[in-house]
Amino acid sequence: MTGERAYIGIGSNLGDRILCCQEAIRAMSKIAGVTVIRVSSFYETAPIPPASGDWFVNGVISVQTQLKPGALLLELRQIERSMGRATERARGSDRSIDLDLLLVGSRVVEQPDLTLPHPRLHQRRFVLAPLCELDPDFRHPVFGVTMRQLLERLSDPSLVRLLAPAARYAGPGENS
């Protein structure tokens, strides 16, 4: 498959958090024009107020996509809705699933409903830690530094801890 490499952040803090993330990844693998390449380990992250639920489970998925960024974002929103996520999304609120389009190649996009790279990617340990696991040398299209350098410079004090390897995503043909 030709196309562009995209990175998608995934998170959940309601219900069976790991299962919710795994279901969302399986749904992404069924999108026409999208191939899941790699999935990071899952990490637990302390909730940021006003979230009142359990700790978040977060990770990053690397996909190869033939879709334009806006079309890919619409597919991700459809997966969120099909998994019970409300259309109105208050930042920091509890959610069964959260899918964020982080990067699509080296594209820089500023539209009312889509900003690439994700505008807070460089401020979030729970995004940079799994992103560095997948591609530490990928350069941020605006800042020109690698994901590893962004993580090393990060002042985010939030607690992010690696879950046991058994909590990884089991794709087709893999055991969980």
Side-chain angles (χ1 to χ4, degrees):
M1 168 188 271
T2 58
E4 291 183 283
R5 182 66 53 102
Y7 296 92
I8 300 163
I10 188 167
S12 174
N13 81 324
L14 294 175
D16 186 331
R17 302 163 301 150
I18 293 170
L19 182 61
C20 286
C21 290
Q22 290 173 332
E23 286 178 9
I25 296 165
R26 276 190 277 282
M28 278 185 255
S29 72
K30 295 177 183 176
I31 299 171
V34 174
T35 301
V36 174
I37 303 298
R38 288 186 64 205
V39 178
S40 74
S41 300
F42 290 137
Y43 295 76
E44 271 193 318
T45 307
I48 299 169
S52 59
D54 204 351
W55 280 45
F56 278 88
V57 167
N58 293 102
V60 171
I61 299 98
S62 168
V63 302
Q64 195 73 16
T65 182
Q66 295 178 339
L67 301 179
K68 293 185 188 237
L72 180 56
L73 181 63
L74 288 175
E75 292 286 348
L76 298 177
R77 295 294 169 255
Q78 177 57 38
I79 292 170
E80 288 178 335
R81 283 190 300 278
S82 73
M83 294 183 67
R85 171 126 181 216
T87 304
E88 293 298 317
R89 303 169 5 158
R91 188 178 298 167
S93 63
D94 296 319
R95 57 198 72 146
S96 59
I97 197 67
D98 183 33
L99 301 173
D100 288 327
L101 187 54
L102 303 172
L103 297 154
V104 178
S106 58
R107 289 182 184 239
V108 176
V109 177
E110 291 190 35
Q111 298 173 348
D113 58 343
L114 175 63
T115 301
L116 291 173
H118 189 285
R120 291 173 299 284
L121 172 153
H122 64 286
Q123 301 168 333
R124 295 176 165 175
R125 186 172 307 281
F126 68 87
V127 170
L128 288 172
L131 190 52
C132 281
E133 184 182 324
L134 297 180
D135 199 348
D137 297 321
F138 186 86
R139 289 198 174 276
H140 191 285
V142 174
F143 302 136
V145 297
T146 67
M147 295 300 124
R148 178 185 297 118
Q149 290 169 316
L150 287 173
L151 183 58
E152 289 169 354
R153 296 176 183 178
L154 190 62
S155 62
D156 175 10
S158 63
L159 183 57
V160 175
R161 59 188 182 208
L162 181 65
L163 289 174
R168 288 184 62 100
Y169 167 71
E174 296 179 46
N175 296 320
S176 46

